[in-house]
Amino acid sequence: MMRYHLAACVLALSTLTFPVHAAQREPLKMRWEVLRNELAQPRSRTKARISITALKGKALPAQGWSLYFNTAYGIVTGQLDGQLTMEKVSGGLYRVRPAAGFKGLNAGRTLHVDYYFSGLLIKMERAPAGPYLVYDAEPDVAHVIGDYQMLLPTRSAQLQRPAGEHELVTPQQTYRNNAGADVLPAAALPLVFPTPLALKPGAGRVHLARAPQVISGPGLKYETALARALFARYLPQGDASRTPVPLRLRIGVVDGQRSPEAYELSISADDGISITGNSAAGVARGLQSLHDLLPLPTPGEAQFDLPELSVTDAPRFAYRGFQLDVARNFQPKEVVMKTLDLMATYKLNKLHFHLTDDEGWRLEIGGLPELTSIGAVRGHSALEGVRLPPAYGSGPRINDPHGSGYYTRADYIEILRYAAARHIEVIPEVEMPGHARAAVKSMEARYHHMTAAGDKDAAQFLLTDFDDRSVYRSPQQYNDHVINAGLESSYAFIDHVVGQIAAMHREAGVPLTTMHVGGDELPLGAWERSPASQALMRREQLASIADLWDYFYDRVDGILRKHGVTASGWEELGARRTAKEDAPLSVNPRFAQRGFSLYVWNNTPGNEDFAYRAANAGYDIVLAPVTNMYLDMATNANPEEPGVNWGGYVELETVYNFQPMSAQLTEAGRKRIRGVEATLFSETVRTTSQLDYLMMPRLLAVAERAWAPDPDWAQAGDAARAAALRRAAWSGFVNVLGQRVLPRLDLERGDVAYRIAPPGMVVEGGKVLVNHVLPGLTLRYTTDGSAPTARSKPVTGLIAAKGTISAAAFDRTGRAGMVARIINR
């Protein structure tokens, strides 16, 4: 059963109610579409349309209603045609209201609400989400519009883009891209994934008719259980009449390798199977490599052979991470554990847990119940301070499982222990001073509630200067979401939260060593007109807001150190603030010797080399570049592909091609590059399947780049040789994914809805050729334009049929990917 908690402690001032039969009382149905993209100088824009139809017997009155919805950003507010008004409520929450002169909408009639976006709408994350209607007479009753249709752009007017920008990917282009790899026979596939440091094949094979006898040394309880579980899927247990092959696990010294995750794996007909690791983590990584060598599960097969070989392996980077954002859209504990299982399978070892943001606080903190009774709950309310507003399509209901929810202390401790057993470190993130609206509003509500009760400690953890007149706006369109640096209560809050999280880690038996403390996107203008901040600046003789920033993080660093924790944060933590928007980042020398770890996402124009400059200056660096490692970015510009695109488009190959090191690094700077991290913010993730789709299989390319040695093709000086080496390596990568890694995931788990790319298709000589980025997936086709099913004809060669040929790839469970179509005349 899912154990997420929906506002168990909502304050008594909450008055929100919903009709028991909301679905039967929906007064409208709604449709949305792009009308046209308008290319113009100096700025292009998009015209869109909301069409609302009053249902039979449900006329919409001339006045006294509001249509609410979320959208990402960029709607032009103000008067609309038809006597309507578009208003911004908060962040990405908007509403349409009738203006004077609106005549109402009779039952059965449709009203078109036309409006504009500033800039071009390319990806569908800017479409309205979570729409609902509220009548002024019942301001706390929200009517969900469940009959809502979003139409994907298909017409040329809807798909206009500037030349060379956001180009659609055609089946022909996909075919040419896919042709950049060769199809390999099974015997030529790499044996272990990710690519190991050294693998020496032997001459023979080891036959297994029974599960091996696991013989393990001390300190390997989890690894022993893992070893037995791996073989239990495939082989019966041994019996007294036959001596099973031994599988020896031990902690020892791996010659020449200092990483605690280094291991040696040996498979020999004479000595059986042995894994030695520099630590238990090394043994666990060795077991995952052994897992790769097992055949795919086959019904009825009860024996198989393993190849003789020896592997000596160690990771390229000590830090191999994945950031999971549960603040924007919540994911239950079971999904976090599934994610940890996937990470362990592919040898990733750091879960960067994005627990707080403007739109949600997802962790129970002792002594501050408002953080979860208010900050973990989203939904409609006519009153301030009751809960957070709907965001990212969560809608008006407080029991939406992704808008609302949090982890109890027990949940979090369970997650920590689950991760530790898999040798994955959980790095919690508490965003500050920006991206903190959930905390800011929770502590404001606490203050007002306690003040009304006459409590003298009401301001103890207050994060807001109520006299602040600063003018600012965040990229997420908030102007009330920043922790005030001038209040002593802000530091008391941070101290309390850090202490509580550190206590949970101690109880889990997993000491907290570093905490991610945000630092990104503090908007210009914040703190500038706050009396509290200005008073602090005078007392501390701080000349600028940049100095106040340094003061804030100097205090935060002191709090963390008091709890035995070091600071991690986004690259702004190690950058000197400027008074100019979008100015290139410059390294702040103040914290360079503090042991801060900077997670550098910003490699946008002007900042391409900031990570390397910061490493050379003495900061530890985790590379998380938006252009290569942000898995919330859409794969391409096609409207049907989910995700965002503010940082570009990230194909599987985009991740694979990332080269972490730079010639700009000094010898000391190279040692500061701790590793790489994939990031997945969850603005567009409403379901577990959407999370899977954006995460996989691109996370496999992250695993390869983080674990495997620097590839030969990245070091070859000759361009032709580099291209040949790169083609061979890429061919091995996509073939092993398509023929072994993903099929194993299907057959052993079956619950990961990874992206199955559409096939590539071209017409040559009157026949259709079909290929796929992942050779090994089954391709099926139809000749009448319909979508292929698991019963459609398999693609076995050239397709001679005429007409609209549709093709799709299928995984081992029969799940279909996106359909590609081409006309063969």
Side-chain angles (χ1 to χ4, degrees):
M1 178 179 178
M2 293 183 179
R3 291 184 59 199
Y4 44 84
H5 302 263
L6 301 176
C9 303
V10 174
L11 299 180
L13 52 83
S14 172
T15 61
L16 182 63
T17 59
F18 290 97
V20 175
H21 301 293
Q24 284 72 30
R25 293 183 58 186
E26 292 170 6
L28 302 173
K29 66 178 180 180
M30 176 170 149
R31 188 178 73 177
W32 176 87
E33 62 185 318
V34 171
L35 292 182
R36 61 180 178 270
N37 283 346
E38 299 180 355
L39 305 185
Q41 296 296 332
R43 189 169 180 83
S44 300
R45 63 180 184 174
T46 292
K47 188 173 186 179
R49 170 175 288 174
I50 296 171
S51 298
I52 53 179
T53 301
L55 302 182
K56 185 176 182 180
K58 303 282 187 179
L60 192 63
Q63 296 295 318
W65 56 268
S66 297
L67 173 66
Y68 290 82
F69 57 88
N70 290 124
T71 195
Y73 59 92
I75 287 182
V76 178
T77 57
Q79 292 298 116
L80 305 177
D81 292 342
Q83 290 75 50
L84 297 167
T85 300
M86 178 73 76
E87 297 177 347
K88 180 181 179 59
V89 181
S90 174
L93 183 63
Y94 290 80
R95 66 183 177 188
V96 174
R97 304 184 70 185
F102 180 70
K103 303 298 184 182
L105 183 65
N106 292 331
R109 301 298 298 273
T110 297
L111 171 69
H112 298 306
V113 182
D114 294 351
Y115 65 99
Y116 278 96
F117 287 93
S118 58
L120 292 180
L121 187 152
I122 303 296
K123 302 308 297 180
M124 296 303 102
E125 96 278 9
R126 296 174 73 184
Y132 63 97
L133 190 73
V134 175
Y135 292 106
D136 293 358
E138 297 180 293
D140 271 320
V141 178
H143 301 267
V144 177
I145 299 176
D147 188 351
Y148 169 44
Q149 184 182 17
M150 182 184 74
L151 302 182
L152 289 177
T154 56
R155 304 189 305 273
S156 59
Q158 299 171 313
L159 294 170
Q160 287 193 86
R161 288 101 189 269
E165 297 180 25
H166 308 290
E167 293 181 341
L168 297 176
V169 178
T170 66
Q172 294 90 335
Q173 180 62 48
T174 300
Y175 185 91
R176 291 191 292 271
N177 291 343
N178 294 347
D182 301 310
V183 178
L184 302 181
L189 297 181
L191 294 175
V192 172
F193 177 84
T195 303
L197 191 62
L199 187 153
K200 183 179 179 181
R205 303 187 71 80
V206 177
H207 184 70
L208 293 176
R210 294 287 185 272
Q213 179 186 6
V214 180
I215 305 167
S216 57
L220 296 172
K221 179 180 178 180
Y222 167 75
E223 290 68 35
T224 301
L226 174 60
R228 289 173 176 152
L230 288 181
F231 286 94
R233 294 190 183 107
Y234 296 85
L235 298 171
Q237 295 301 307
D239 56 44
S241 64
R242 306 181 72 172
T243 302
V245 171
L247 169 54
R248 297 181 178 89
L249 309 177
R250 73 182 188 95
I251 298 172
V253 176
V254 178
D255 289 342
Q257 302 301 325
R258 299 172 60 183
S259 167
E261 295 176 281
Y263 68 90
E264 292 176 324
L265 165 63
S266 173
I267 302 176
S268 164
D270 295 329
D271 299 324
I273 307 167
S274 67
I275 298 174
T276 299
N278 275 346
S279 70
V283 174
R285 307 307 179 221
L287 281 167
Q288 293 299 347
S289 293
L290 177 60
H291 188 193
D292 286 341
L293 297 168
L294 303 184
L296 296 179
T298 304
E301 286 289 330
Q303 53 185 325
F304 55 79
D305 291 345
L306 291 178
E308 288 191 313
L309 54 70
S310 63
V311 176
T312 300
D313 201 7
R316 181 183 186 187
F317 293 114
Y319 190 108
R320 306 178 307 282
F322 175 64
Q323 184 216 248
L324 178 63
D325 169 20
V326 295
R328 266 64 178 274
N329 274 311
F330 184 68
Q331 295 294 337
K333 179 183 65 179
E334 289 75 12
V335 173
V336 179
M337 292 175 169
K338 171 184 168 182
T339 302
L340 289 166
D341 284 338
L342 291 173
M343 292 176 64
T345 299
Y346 306 117
K347 303 187 177 85
L348 298 171
N349 67 347
K350 309 288 183 181
L351 176 67
H352 174 181
F353 210 5
H354 191 85
L355 289 164
T356 75
D357 214 297
D358 294 319
E359 299 86 7
W361 182 286
R362 305 304 188 182
L363 180 61
E364 179 183 18
I365 298 295
L368 295 177
E370 298 85 1
L371 285 172
T372 45
S373 66
I374 295 172
V377 182
R378 294 207 298 251
H380 176 75
S381 177
L383 299 177
E384 288 289 331
V386 177
R387 59 185 63 86
L388 301 182
Y392 304 116
S394 60
R397 299 177 182 271
I398 62 173
N399 61 351
D400 178 85
H402 299 287
S404 299
Y406 67 92
Y407 309 108
T408 65
R409 292 184 83 259
D411 289 337
Y412 186 65
I413 289 168
E414 187 178 355
I415 288 169
L416 291 175
R417 289 173 175 164
Y418 195 87
R422 288 150 182 79
H423 305 287
I424 296 172
E425 180 184 6
V426 175
I427 301 171
E429 180 177 2
V430 176
E431 278 273 20
M432 61 181 81
H435 283 285
R437 193 173 191 272
V440 167
K441 293 303 175 182
S442 297
M443 293 301 97
E444 283 182 12
R446 179 183 187 275
Y447 169 82
H448 291 306
H449 180 66
M450 293 177 68
T451 298
D455 194 319
K456 61 182 178 60
D457 294 325
Q460 181 182 5
F461 298 117
L462 187 63
L463 306 177
T464 306
D465 175 4
F466 292 117
D467 294 322
D468 190 352
R469 298 296 179 264
S470 299
V471 178
Y472 62 86
R473 189 169 297 279
S474 76
Q476 292 73 32
Q477 304 300 298
Y478 293 109
N479 59 5
D480 57 353
H481 74 305
V482 174
I483 293 174
N484 194 286
L487 296 174
E488 193 61 28
S489 52
S490 294
Y491 303 104
F493 172 84
I494 295 167
D495 187 25
H496 182 83
V497 169
V498 173
Q500 288 289 309
I501 295 175
M504 284 184 259
H505 278 252
R506 286 194 299 272
E507 186 174 341
V510 186
L512 180 66
T513 59
T514 188
M515 178 181 287
H516 198 291
V517 289
D520 61 316
E521 296 185 328
L522 179 69
L524 292 179
W527 300 339
E528 289 183 355
R529 296 171 64 183
S530 161
S533 290
Q534 293 301 314
L536 174 67
M537 292 175 66
R538 289 191 295 271
R539 289 196 308 271
E540 298 293 331
Q541 299 182 345
L542 306 177
S544 67
I545 293 297
D547 293 331
L548 180 56
W549 169 271
D550 286 354
Y551 174 90
F552 177 83
Y553 270 109
D554 190 65
R555 291 286 302 272
V556 171
D557 182 41
I559 291 168
L560 292 173
R561 288 176 181 273
K562 183 182 78 171
H563 292 282
V565 179
T566 60
S568 294
W570 300 110
E571 72 270 5
E572 290 97 325
L573 202 63
R576 182 67 174 169
R577 289 188 60 78
T578 68
K580 185 179 179 183
E581 198 77 55
D582 298 326
L585 296 168
S586 60
V587 178
N588 184 353
R590 175 160 183 165
F591 300 118
Q593 306 307 317
R594 295 281 188 93
F596 284 15
S597 289
L598 305 185
Y599 290 55
V600 182
W601 65 264
N602 193 346
N603 67 334
T604 57
N607 298 301
E608 297 92 339
D609 65 344
F610 179 77
Y612 308 117
R613 288 189 283 117
N616 290 343
Y619 285 100
D620 288 339
I621 302 297
V622 174
L623 298 169
V626 61
T627 58
N628 297 87
M629 292 282 172
Y630 264 45
L631 304 188
D632 49 306
M633 295 297 139
T635 300
N636 56 50
N638 292 5
E640 66 272 14
E641 283 290 353
V644 297
N645 69 343
W646 61 265
Y649 301 101
V650 178
E651 294 268 6
L652 177 68
E653 193 169 4
T654 312
V655 184
Y656 181 85
N657 285 343
F658 177 53
Q659 297 184 40
M661 294 304 193
S662 166
Q664 182 178 349
L665 287 165
T666 64
E667 183 177 349
R670 290 181 69 86
K671 295 177 181 177
R672 293 287 183 181
I673 304 297
R674 296 179 58 203
V676 300
E677 176 173 285
T679 297
L680 206 167
F681 286 106
S682 65
E683 290 97 326
T684 63
V685 178
R686 291 278 298 146
T687 66
T688 303
S689 62
Q690 290 168 337
L691 174 66
D692 291 346
Y693 186 96
L694 291 173
M695 179 169 59
M696 295 286 284
R698 293 184 293 186
L699 190 65
L700 300 176
V702 178
E704 172 70 10
R705 198 51 59 234
W707 180 279
D710 194 16
D712 292 341
W713 54 266
Q715 305 173 55
D718 178 73
R721 174 170 166 75
L725 289 171
R726 196 259 174 210
R727 182 183 181 97
W730 172 245
S731 297
F733 175 76
V734 295
N735 275 270
V736 80
L737 261 57
Q739 296 190 49
R740 268 220 320 263
V741 174
L742 293 174
R744 186 183 301 282
L745 195 62
D746 295 334
L747 297 170
E748 291 186 352
R749 290 194 61 104
D751 64 345
V752 181
Y754 55 84
R755 177 179 185 260
I756 304 176
M761 304 176 76
V762 294
V763 176
E764 292 184 359
K767 296 181 180 180
V768 177
L769 287 72
V770 185
N771 65 8
H772 198 267
V773 66
L774 299 176
L777 272 64
T778 300
L779 301 177
R780 297 184 182 277
Y781 73 99
T782 61
T783 59
D784 60 0
S786 62
T789 70
R791 295 184 177 182
S792 299
K793 292 180 180 179
V795 176
T796 56
L798 302 178
I799 300 173
K802 304 298 182 182
T804 299
I805 311 301
S806 303
F810 290 77
D811 71 7
R812 292 298 182 95
T813 71
R815 183 173 61 91
M818 283 192 178
V819 178
R821 291 183 172 88
I822 199 167
I823 297 175
N824 187 22
R825 301 185 188 283

